[in-house]
Amino acid sequence: MSRLLCIDDEEVLHAFQQGDRNAYELIYDKYWAILYRHARKMLQNDEEAKDVVQEVFVMFWLKAQDTSIHVPLAAFLYTATRNKILDQIKHSKVKAKYMTSLKNEMENQVQPPDTLVRQRDLAYQIELEIKALPAKMREIFELSRKEYRTHKEISEYLNISDKTVKKQISNALHILKAKLGPLLIFFLLLSTTW
């Protein structure tokens, strides 16, 4: 490491800007740990700090010919890292604010008066179609979708193979999709009300 500290930044930057890949590697080796420690201190997160430093070095690589890159390299890279961290923090705050706003909007959203009636009707239609399935298929399907059992649990419970369970569930979904349509099958798979 002490050898790296003795490298003249101006010379190695010039070599890098002339396309010398080894010069880039020298810069990377010399400054990565320093920038990582700085990013880690600001972000309090190892992975985020690594990501930020990686992004800084990618930017540095892509801007090799850019005249805005100057010595001292430590100051340039430190500033680039700080700016990247500030952008990330700002983005996180905007994202958090948006998610809070969206959550509040969804919680305060008034549903049309007939929503509950339509949901009940839909659940009733689905239940009728499930009851119309062949007996063994219906039993397997209900164990999967109503009791939330895994294929393995169902196969052990009914003393049949996993492959049979998977095939029966697939067949049941195929039949229900054909009868109920894609939107209703979507409701069927996600709903916990039936």
Side-chain angles (χ1 to χ4, degrees), residues 8-39:
D8 179 63
D9 281 353
E10 192 168 356
E11 286 179 31
V12 78
L13 176 61
H14 180 72
F16 168 58
Q17 289 177 324
Q18 298 302 311
D20 184 344
R21 183 183 175 110
N22 291 330
Y24 175 81
E25 290 174 9
L26 286 172
I27 294 167
Y28 184 92
D29 291 342
K30 181 176 180 180
Y31 289 108
W32 191 93
I34 297 166
L35 297 175
Y36 168 74
R37 283 193 299 273
H38 172 66

Side-chain angles (χ1 to χ4, degrees), residues 70-88:
H70 51 78
V71 289
L73 268 177
F76 176 81
L77 293 170
Y78 173 84
T79 301
T81 303
R82 187 196 64 207
N83 290 343
K84 184 66 73 178
I85 291 168
L86 293 175
D87 285 347
Q88 185 169 326

Side-chain angles (χ1 to χ4, degrees), residues 77-122:
L77 293 170
Y78 173 84
T79 301
T81 303
R82 187 196 64 207
N83 290 343
K84 184 66 73 178
I85 291 168
L86 293 175
D87 285 347
Q88 185 169 326
I89 291 170
K90 185 169 90 176
H91 177 72
S92 295
K93 286 181 179 177
V94 168
K95 185 177 175 184
K97 186 176 177 182
Y98 172 76
M99 293 305 287
T100 301
S101 171
L102 183 62
K103 182 181 174 200
N104 289 340
E105 187 176 318
M106 290 176 74
E107 287 173 355
N108 296 328
Q109 189 175 29
V110 178
Q111 292 190 351
D114 67 337
T115 300
L116 190 55
V117 172
R118 283 187 287 160
Q119 286 177 346
R120 284 186 189 148
D121 287 346
L122 185 55

Side-chain angles (χ1 to χ4, degrees), residues 161-183:
S161 72
D162 281 356
K163 190 175 180 180
T164 301
V165 172
K166 187 175 181 179
K167 183 70 175 162
Q168 290 288 339
I169 292 171
S170 176
N171 289 344
L173 288 171
H174 184 73
I175 291 168
L176 293 171
K177 186 174 182 180
K179 291 185 177 192
L180 298 171
L183 293 177

